Amino acid sequence: MAGNTHELRPKAPDTEKITINLGYVDLGHVDLMVQEGFYSNRTDFIRTAIRNQLERHVEVVRQSTARKNLDLGLRNYTREDLEAARRAGEMLQINVLGLATIAQDVTPELARATIASVSVLGALHASPAVKAALADRMR
């Protein structure tokens, strides 16, 4: 039965890898906290620290999100969405805090014809050709 299943759309990752540089003393403190059992590993410590800082500033983030008119979370733009915008004569302003995805079947020409600007705080997933076509519209 498992051989009969087909993945219709690849699952998008729910995280984005980042690299940070820490001084040796800070890194040693993190390792000590892990060694003492407060955290399971370095990543657990860093994620917890980030979440704590975000929670500490939650009201500022909420106000900024509203003021900047950002879509919060995951926002997917399909070829059908962009074709509908083109038929309506509209240009999209993409403003996302989280993950914005432009479908893989969107051509660079369709993207340029329908997307006026792109501002993503988080990650933008799109084909390299679409990203290149929109490079001058990204803030």
Side-chain angles (χ1 to χ4, degrees):
M1 186 75 149
N4 293 336
T5 61
H6 299 283
E7 188 174 6
L8 297 177
R9 179 176 54 204
K11 183 179 184 305
D14 60 351
T15 61
E16 186 80 12
K17 185 175 184 174
I18 63 170
T19 301
I20 62 170
N21 295 319
L22 287 177
Y24 297 118
V25 173
D26 289 338
L27 186 58
H29 283 120
V30 172
D31 287 344
L32 180 63
M33 298 295 286
V34 170
Q35 188 178 57
E36 292 296 316
F38 289 98
Y39 301 93
S40 59
N41 54 43
R42 289 175 174 176
T43 300
D44 182 31
F45 176 90
I46 293 166
R47 282 186 184 145
T48 300
I50 290 170
R51 286 184 189 118
N52 288 341
Q53 286 300 308
L54 291 173
E55 181 62 31
R56 189 172 172 194
H57 301 286
V58 70
E59 187 58 27
V60 171
V61 171
R62 188 193 63 72
Q63 290 173 3
S64 294
T65 301
R67 184 179 71 248
K68 294 181 180 202
N69 199 24
L70 297 169
D71 288 336
L72 183 62
L74 306 176
R75 183 64 169 93
N76 185 40
Y77 295 89
T78 66
R79 187 187 69 215
E80 293 77 20
D81 294 334
L82 299 185
E83 288 173 346
R86 181 167 49 189
R87 284 191 302 274
E90 296 174 354
M91 293 291 285
L92 301 176
Q93 311 283 331
I94 296 176
N95 296 305
V96 175
L97 188 152
L99 172 63
T101 302
I102 300 174
Q104 291 298 307
D105 61 350
V106 171
T107 64
E109 296 76 23
L110 179 59
R112 284 200 62 79
T114 57
I115 299 173
S117 66
V118 178
S119 177
V120 178
L121 300 170
L124 171 64
H125 288 182
S127 70
V130 166
K131 283 184 177 181
L134 296 175
D136 64 328
R137 299 174 186 192
M138 292 188 193
R139 296 182 266 144

